[in-house]
Amino acid sequence: VSLQDIYDRYLLLIEEELRQVLSIPDQRLSPFYGMMHYHLGWTDESFQATRSQAGGKRLRPLFCLLACQAVGAEPRQALPAAAAVELIHNFSLLHDDIEDNSPTRRHRTTVWKIWGEPQAINAGDGMFALAHLALQRLSEKGLPDDRVLAAYRVFDQTCLALCEGQYLDMSFEDCLDVDIDQYLAMIGRKTAALLSCSTWLGALLGSGDAALATRYARFGENLGMAFQIEDDILGIWGEEKVTGKPEASDIRQRKKSLPIVYVLQQEASLPVSEQRVHKVYRRKVIDEDDVKVVLGYLQAVGARQYAQQMALDYHGRALAELRATGMENEGQDGLWELAKLLVNRKY
Ligand code: IPE
Ligand code: IPE
Ligand code: MG
Ligand code: MG
């Protein structure tokens, strides 16, 4: 199977499920749902339908459906779970853009920049609730109760892990001695947990086999780690016209992304007077010259190569876990293809 086949087969199903969950129940509320539709890439800011691909890659629902197919089940059974993980992802992004002070996402102005922070927080809360309602649609799929109950529990544990990770991410902004382990614990929660949940849900709902689902969860977990490290690389060196976010935005926002953790750690052994990157981060405001200083030191210590290697290591572990499931079929091939797409990604 090719990536094109995967998107052709599943994308419309996912969009249709999402649209049903996010349908507007009352015309007076159409701007409330409209903010969500805008964020998901369906409309422009005047709520006119768009045909642009501005809603994101839909990776998590695709992983969920493919994992369901890989364990030998009908992927449609997992559609409510696929919609739910995509909605949780987008709920987290609605709030993340406020938390990170980000004016742009996916080449467009962020919801809070257009409608203000209070409305964006509330739209995010609405989407959080809708994600749970999306998952409840599992009850219409005729799945055994124990699978559905396990799905609810892991889903909420994942929502919590994601918020824990966001807490750590924000708290690290004011911290200069974040070590690699702390960093890994942070991204494990903010990003890997949801990818892991996506593949786990697909595999568990499809098979009811907890041990098999755990293997798919580990595949998603390791892939999520690699994915966030790639995102960190893009957050510093990604090209704005490709990523849809300003270059070096993570430096301005004092994010302790992996390349920064690495350079700070390298510097820590130097005399304080020579700790140039530390000095930049102690300033109240980081200006464009400061950004250049940081970029120069990142380059000097090979921080990008270091992060790229770590991403490749996690990626390798993800593929090893996928292989260890022992499954061989189209769904499995699809997971493999989609996983490969995430190495050295550009957006
Ligand atoms: C961005 O995730 C946030 C991270 C967890 C790194 P994606 O790159 O999957 O976001 P979209 O939905 O495709 O825009
Ligand atoms: C990604 O956050 C994780 C979550 C949103 C939970 P980031 O802040 O690293 O991702 P981008 O770069 O804004 O998409
Ligand atoms: Mg963030
Ligand atoms: Mg962000």
Side-chain angles (χ1 to χ4, degrees):
V1 288
S2 71
L3 278 172
Q4 195 56 50
D5 294 336
I6 295 171
Y7 273 93
D8 287 349
R9 189 172 312 166
Y10 292 126
L11 197 60
L12 283 178
L13 281 177
I14 293 167
E15 295 305 289
E16 182 50 35
E17 184 78 10
L18 289 170
R19 279 181 193 271
Q20 285 185 24
V21 173
L22 267 78
S23 61
I24 301 169
D26 177 334
Q27 279 315 307
R28 281 169 296 196
L29 293 171
S30 57
F32 172 61
Y33 292 93
M35 287 184 274
M36 302 187 207
H37 293 187
Y38 170 85
H39 179 77
L40 288 169
W42 298 338
T43 72
D44 62 19
E45 42 187 284
S46 335
F47 305 132
Q48 300 303 304
T50 47
R51 290 178 51 80
S52 74
Q53 274 296 307
K57 299 177 284 295
R58 306 287 193 254
L59 291 173
R60 294 156 191 78
L62 288 169
F63 276 117
C64 179
L65 297 180
L66 286 166
C68 187
Q69 189 186 6
V71 298
E74 164 58 45
R76 279 171 201 261
Q77 286 191 323
L79 253 186
V85 292
E86 185 62 14
L87 289 174
I88 281 300
H89 168 57
N90 281 285
F91 136 76
S92 82
L93 296 181
L94 277 166
H95 285 188
D96 179 74
D97 286 334
I98 301 168
E99 292 158 358
D100 291 350
N101 197 30
S102 304
T104 38
R105 168 169 304 279
R106 302 165 176 156
H107 306 276
R108 299 194 307 166
T109 309
T110 44
V111 169
W112 73 271
K113 268 282 171 186
I114 301 174
W115 291 284
E117 286 183 32
Q119 290 291 7
I121 292 169
N122 190 55
D125 291 341
M127 199 177 276
F128 182 86
L130 285 163
H132 283 77
L133 291 170
L135 195 63
Q136 300 248 339
R137 289 159 64 97
L138 280 175
S139 64
E140 294 155 27
K141 297 284 179 187
L143 289 156
D145 286 351
D146 58 335
R147 290 187 206 180
V148 175
L149 278 176
Y152 290 166
R153 186 179 65 247
V154 170
F155 187 69
D156 274 346
Q157 285 168 341
T158 302
C159 293
L160 184 60
L162 197 155
C163 296
E164 292 171 351
Q166 291 291 74
Y167 159 76
L168 293 171
D169 179 286
M170 288 183 268
S171 70
F172 291 171
E173 288 176 27
D174 309 313
C175 190
L176 289 178
D177 53 5
V178 177
D179 64 28
I180 304 285
D181 278 350
Q182 289 173 300
Y183 165 82
L184 293 173
M186 181 270 283
I187 67 164
R189 289 174 174 82
K190 80 164 178 174
T191 302
L194 186 57
L195 257 143
S196 176
C197 176
S198 304
T199 49
W200 182 89
L201 280 167
L204 186 96
L205 292 169
S207 72
D209 178 339
L212 185 60
T214 300
R215 288 217 180 274
Y216 280 95
R218 285 206 212 110
F219 159 67
E221 162 87 26
N222 282 291
L223 200 61
M225 299 297 282
F227 186 73
Q228 183 58 51
I229 296 170
E230 294 281 357
D231 197 67
D232 285 2
I233 294 171
L234 292 175
I236 296 176
W237 294 285
E239 278 185 81
E240 179 162 6
K241 60 180 194 302
V242 190
T243 64
K245 287 187 136 209
E247 276 157 52
S249 47
D250 281 351
I251 297 180
R252 286 183 205 93
Q253 194 56 30
R254 300 166 190 275
K255 288 297 183 191
K256 299 310 171 317
S257 62
L258 184 58
I260 301 292
V261 171
Y262 182 71
V263 76
L264 287 170
Q265 188 183 284
Q266 297 296 305
E267 263 197 4
S269 54
L270 300 176
V272 171
S273 60
E274 290 171 35
Q275 297 181 351
R276 296 284 303 278
V277 178
H278 280 77
K279 202 170 146 203
V280 165
Y281 283 105
R282 285 200 189 94
R283 292 196 219 289
K284 278 226 153 50
V285 231
I286 296 180
D287 64 23
E288 290 318 293
D289 287 340
D290 295 331
V291 171
K292 287 207 189 89
V293 168
V294 174
L295 285 171
Y297 281 91
L298 286 166
Q299 167 87 18
V301 299
R304 183 174 183 161
Q305 290 82 342
Y306 172 82
Q308 194 58 62
Q309 187 55 51
M310 178 113 65
L312 281 176
D313 291 346
Y314 275 111
H315 201 263
R317 269 174 247 165
L319 294 182
E321 291 290 353
L322 186 60
R323 224 176 283 118
T325 62
M327 307 303 277
E328 279 177 36
N329 54 51
E330 264 199 12
Q332 190 81 351
D333 294 347
L335 290 172
W336 197 272
E337 286 302 317
L338 204 55
K340 267 192 348 207
L341 176 77
L342 306 186
V343 192
N344 270 318
R345 69 194 168 92
K346 301 279 179 273
Y347 60 94

